[in-house]
Every structure is written in structure tokens, then in C-alpha cells.
Amino acid sequence: MTVISTNKDVDNLTFTIVAEFDAGPEAVWQVWENPRLLERWRGPPTWPATFEKLEFAPGGDARYYMSGPDGEKARGWWKIVSMDAPRRFAFDDGFAGDDGKPLDPDDTTRCEVTLAEDGNVTRMTSVTTFRSAEQLEQMVEMGMEEGTIGAMGQIDAVLADVRVGS
């Protein structure tokens, strides 16, 4: 099923993406908390992610990079700010330098992910909040919407392996 809607709301400085999966919240949670599963979908298909560090707990850090088709690397970081497993978590997200440290600790977004069970389906809602309309527009121009849709389109295959215990 995957992505069912996206919404860019400049007035509220948010970008929301909603996806549905034929799996329970516990399985969908695993594709976030397990770095090897996260790597299989987090980057767009042409920009796969590698997580060098993932402390998936409140106060935990993540360091990752996405590898482009020509060998370039786009680095990023997360700081997990809250968590209610397996239903909700929030993290701050930003760009990182080659050392994995934030380029500008004030140039961040806040992402809140919610997993809600509806029968045999889990609805995953991801709301990213931006500091300014300019930051939101810059990320949209960088391909955030297309990249996120492409990335989330890979989750079904990962979930198929989670269900069979691979």
C-alpha cells in the first residue's frame, strides 16, 4: 500500500506524509529501530542510507549518510527527543559534516512519527515541522517529497522479511 497522502502546509510550517502497511505496529516499529532494516528503506532508491550509529531511545543519537549514484555522500544526524514504543516517537534532524557532527545545530527540523493500528493495517503518519517557510521550501526544492515517497515505497519489501523472521 505504502504512501496514501502528502501535505505541505506552509502556514503551519509542516510537511505530512501518510502511509499504510499490511503489518502490525510492532513490525513497522522494527523498520525504524533496527539500523540494518532502516538502511533498506530510509534513503530514496538511488540514495541508499547507511547508519553508522543508531541509539533508538529518548536522548539517543543517530549518524547516517546517503550515498548518491555518483559516489557523493549526504550526511545527517538525529536526536531522539521522545518515544512511546511502538506507537510514537519524535526526533530532531539536521545536516552533518564529514565528521558526522551537525553543520548547524540550529538548522533542524522536528519529525514526529505515529503508528496507528486500523484492523490489519498500520497507518504511519510522519509530520515534519520546519523553523521557517524558507526552510520548508528549500527542502521541497531539494526533492524531499519525491525522495520520501520513494523511500517509503521500499518498506513493504522490508516488512515481508520482518514477518518471515529474516
Side-chain angles (χ1 to χ4, degrees):
M1 281 186 230
T2 315
V3 175
I4 60 170
S5 70
T6 63
N7 182 50
K8 179 180 84 170
D9 184 342
V10 177
D11 291 336
N12 289 307
L13 302 177
T14 60
F15 176 77
T16 302
I17 188 160
V18 179
E20 289 184 344
F21 304 100
D22 288 326
E26 294 81 7
V28 178
W29 188 265
Q30 286 181 45
V31 305
W32 284 97
E33 78 176 344
N34 180 323
R36 302 299 73 88
L37 297 178
L38 187 58
E39 288 174 339
R40 292 180 51 195
W41 73 268
R42 184 60 181 161
T46 58
W47 281 81
T50 300
F51 277 76
E52 299 171 306
K53 176 182 183 181
L54 179 60
E55 300 167 340
F56 198 66
D61 293 314
R63 299 289 184 265
Y64 67 94
Y65 61 88
M66 294 187 299
S67 300
D70 296 324
E72 61 271 53
K73 288 184 179 178
R75 294 187 174 275
W77 60 271
W78 294 349
K79 176 63 111 180
I80 308 295
V81 294
S82 66
M83 184 174 289
D84 179 17
R87 301 289 180 194
R88 176 185 307 264
F89 68 98
F91 60 94
D92 290 337
D93 187 10
F95 295 107
D98 288 339
D99 60 1
K101 294 181 181 173
L103 288 176
D104 180 353
D106 295 326
D107 185 23
T108 64
T109 60
R110 168 75 49 95
C111 182
E112 184 169 327
V113 177
T114 304
L115 305 178
E117 194 168 13
D118 184 12
N120 295 328
V121 171
T122 296
R123 178 172 284 198
M124 180 171 74
T125 303
S126 173
V127 180
T128 302
T129 303
F130 298 85
R131 291 178 302 104
S132 65
E134 294 78 22
Q135 185 190 39
L136 170 57
E137 291 301 331
Q138 178 186 22
M139 294 300 291
V140 168
E141 288 174 16
M142 291 174 66
M144 178 185 71
E145 182 172 8
E146 297 83 3
T148 303
I149 290 170
M152 287 188 178
Q154 302 172 109
I155 293 176
D156 285 321
V158 178
L159 286 170
D161 287 347
V162 169
R163 283 194 290 274
V164 297
S166 298

